[in-house]
Amino acid sequence: MEYGSLHFRINEILQENNISKNKVCKDLDIPRTNFNRYCRDEFQRLDMGLICKLCWYFDIDVGELIEYKKYEP
């Protein structure tokens, strides 16, 4: 059974704030390869530390960072 998926709005937020991935990774000391997986929604597990860092960095709530997409056949 398909339950839907999570989408990280990182790319949209970066564009809205005119900030590069490199700057975020450097400022938050995040490995670029890990960050890219989240940007492409290719993650297996959620990293609470990373989510907290991104919410703090962009001054947003979790609901603004992650959205649930319901499965539609």
Side-chain angles (χ1 to χ4, degrees):
M1 177 171 219
E2 180 67 41
Y3 297 103
S5 62
L6 294 178
H7 168 65
F8 272 79
R9 295 190 61 253
I10 297 170
N11 291 318
E12 296 96 320
I13 294 167
L14 292 174
Q15 191 171 33
E16 290 167 6
N17 291 285
N18 197 28
I19 298 174
S20 71
K21 290 179 184 179
N22 285 335
K23 178 165 176 37
V24 174
C25 290
K26 182 178 178 185
D27 290 348
L28 296 179
D29 193 29
I30 300 170
R32 178 67 188 258
T33 54
N34 293 353
F35 189 66
N36 281 337
R37 279 192 218 111
Y38 280 88
C39 292
R40 293 188 308 260
D41 293 333
E42 295 176 352
F43 49 89
Q44 294 294 320
R45 301 182 195 285
L46 296 178
D47 180 340
M48 284 189 353
L50 175 63
I51 293 168
C52 290
K53 283 182 179 183
L54 291 172
C55 287
W56 173 83
Y57 188 80
F58 293 114
D59 192 26
I60 59 176
D61 291 326
V62 173
E64 296 172 83
L65 177 65
I66 305 169
E67 62 185 14
Y68 168 70
K69 294 196 173 193
K70 189 173 184 174
Y71 174 73
E72 297 183 25

